[in-house]
Amino acid sequence: MPEPDSADETGGAGARGIDPVPPAPRPDPTMRDVAARAGVSVKTVSNFFNDYPHMRPETRARIAAAVEELDYRVNASARSLRAGRSGMIALIVPELQAYFAELAQDVIEAAAPHGLTVLVETTSGDREREIEALAGARRQRIDGAIFDPLALGPDDVEHVRTGLPLVIIGERQFDGLADHVLIADVEVARTAMTHLLETGRRRILVVGSARTTPSHTAALRTRGCDLALRDAGLELDPGLIAAAVPWTRAGGADAVTEALGSGTRFDAVLAFNDILALGAQFALFEAGLRVPEDVAVVGIDDTEDARYATPQLTSISPGRAEIARRAVDLLVDRIASPGEPFVQVTVDYELKVRRSSSSASS
């Protein structure tokens, strides 16, 4: 006769046909656990996963060791369910050409270490679509948004103050209503204009200006051009200001073609973004003019297209990857702590000198 098993002898669960209750699973380690193990703040751990460039090597090594010891993995689903969130954020931009396409990729990469999915929405700079993106039904599916407004202005405050965690990039007309990541628009344009003046150019066609409210990017960049000219003892000639709306290749080409057709003399073009500049270069080539020998060209954005243009386009890098990283970090903080004071950050920029603006004397 077989011996009874231990459960039968003790009258335990096996004798009653009931499976034993397994022990509760150990909770997954959190970013806070990693921070505690490494002896740093949660923010520093977030910076580690986001490849923050200004972290001491010893700090990075301690965090990496803690991650390995704890076998930490970002678990977006579990975290979102516990917090009642979707784990998705929106990037709302006018379009996905050049700069904005590259910005979208940077935002996606910056959001990944936080376990966030990025939904990219374009508005074509249409006011109603911008309003819908912030307040429409899609808002129920996202935890927050990074927004680059084009059509909304100071009179649209009620459409921005929706309670949705929000970080605004670029424009300044909503100060005090959301976190902001800004480009130093005045200094960016001032640097670009100063560069052209230092190469010997004096009649510089400014492409992309528009008669808008003073807070808009175009007006700020026009002001930067004016300041650089004043530094050189010159004045901004209204006849050398070419409006271009929207900022597209066609807009840049049309502006230059119109200026040439009207007999306007200029020896350089400063375009307020790279695709305007590329359109300008095309129009100059079509007119039989050489870049940079006859007309120098400078853009703003430092997109990949600028580096592969013929000739390579001089441009101002506005710190796009840094814009994305700071915007995502601010949004993550805003979602976690909605009552904190709003933060405004201005990122650094860099002049990238290439063939399109070689010295007039060279």
Side-chain angles (χ1 to χ4, degrees):
M1 187 174 178
E3 293 181 2
D5 61 28
S6 58
D8 290 336
E9 287 181 337
T10 59
R16 297 192 299 273
I18 302 174
D19 292 333
V21 177
R26 294 176 60 187
D28 292 333
T30 65
M31 194 175 290
R32 192 173 299 278
D33 296 329
V34 174
R37 177 68 63 92
V40 298
S41 68
V42 174
K43 179 69 172 177
T44 301
V45 175
S46 174
N47 287 342
F48 168 84
F49 282 109
N50 212 17
D51 291 327
Y52 184 63
H54 307 300
M55 183 179 293
R56 290 197 298 264
E58 56 270 26
T59 301
R60 193 178 299 278
R62 288 207 316 274
I63 297 173
V67 168
E68 184 174 355
E69 291 168 12
L70 295 172
D71 193 26
Y72 173 75
R73 299 288 184 274
V74 175
N75 188 338
S77 298
R79 185 166 67 236
S80 297
L81 286 172
R82 286 195 298 270
R85 300 176 188 141
S86 68
M88 293 187 289
I89 61 172
L91 173 65
I92 305 167
V93 292
E95 39 86 15
L96 281 179
Q97 290 194 70
Y99 173 81
F100 287 114
E102 295 177 24
L103 176 68
Q105 185 61 42
D106 288 335
V107 169
I108 289 168
E109 292 177 3
H114 297 282
L116 294 171
T117 298
V118 181
L119 303 179
V120 181
E121 181 168 359
T122 61
T123 64
S124 298
D126 179 78
R127 181 175 179 275
E128 294 306 316
R129 287 174 64 180
E130 289 188 350
I131 293 171
E132 175 69 15
L134 291 178
R138 287 182 295 279
R139 176 187 162 184
Q140 306 306 317
R141 302 200 302 268
I142 59 175
D143 299 328
I146 297 170
F147 179 38
D148 192 323
L150 188 60
L152 296 186
D155 295 334
D156 295 303
V157 168
E158 72 276 10
H159 299 300
V160 176
R161 192 186 285 128
T162 64
L164 177 71
L166 187 65
V167 174
I168 294 176
I169 55 178
E171 296 293 354
R172 291 163 165 75
Q173 61 262 48
F174 301 113
D175 285 350
L177 298 178
D179 297 307
H180 275 69
V181 179
L182 302 173
I183 297 170
D185 288 300
V186 172
E187 289 307 314
V188 160
R190 190 175 192 171
T191 298
M193 179 65 81
T194 298
H195 165 68
L196 285 169
L197 292 168
E198 288 175 347
T199 67
R201 272 74 184 197
R202 287 297 179 268
R203 292 190 57 79
I204 300 165
L205 184 70
V206 177
V207 176
S209 185
R211 293 179 177 84
T212 59
T213 60
S215 60
H216 285 184
T217 297
L220 292 172
R221 293 183 180 179
T222 302
R223 180 184 170 204
C225 293
D226 183 44
L227 290 172
L229 288 164
R230 289 178 184 272
D231 291 341
L234 303 171
E235 293 185 1
L236 184 62
D237 183 348
L240 290 173
I241 299 176
V245 179
W247 288 0
T248 61
R249 291 173 179 83
D254 290 346
V256 167
T257 299
E258 182 177 344
L260 292 171
S262 68
T264 301
R265 294 183 300 104
F266 55 94
D267 54 14
V269 172
L270 196 169
F272 283 170
N273 73 357
D274 282 355
I275 58 176
L276 283 170
L278 294 172
Q281 283 198 169
F282 173 82
L284 291 168
F285 291 144
E286 288 291 292
L289 296 170
R290 300 167 300 164
V291 175
E293 292 82 358
D294 299 319
V295 180
V297 180
V298 171
I300 295 172
D301 283 345
D302 191 34
T303 58
E304 188 171 2
D305 285 346
R307 297 189 290 277
Y308 289 93
T310 303
Q312 287 186 309
L313 178 67
T314 294
S315 187
I316 302 276
S317 170
R320 191 185 59 247
E322 180 72 358
I323 291 169
R325 187 187 69 80
R326 298 300 294 269
V328 169
D329 284 350
L330 285 175
L331 187 58
V332 168
D333 291 345
R334 179 60 50 194
I335 292 168
S337 304
E340 293 297 315
F342 293 122
V343 175
Q344 180 170 294
V345 175
T346 302
V347 299
D348 290 335
Y349 60 91
E350 182 180 1
L351 173 65
K352 302 284 190 176
V353 179
R354 301 189 179 99
R355 172 65 180 156
S356 72
S357 65
S358 295
S359 173
S361 60
S362 62

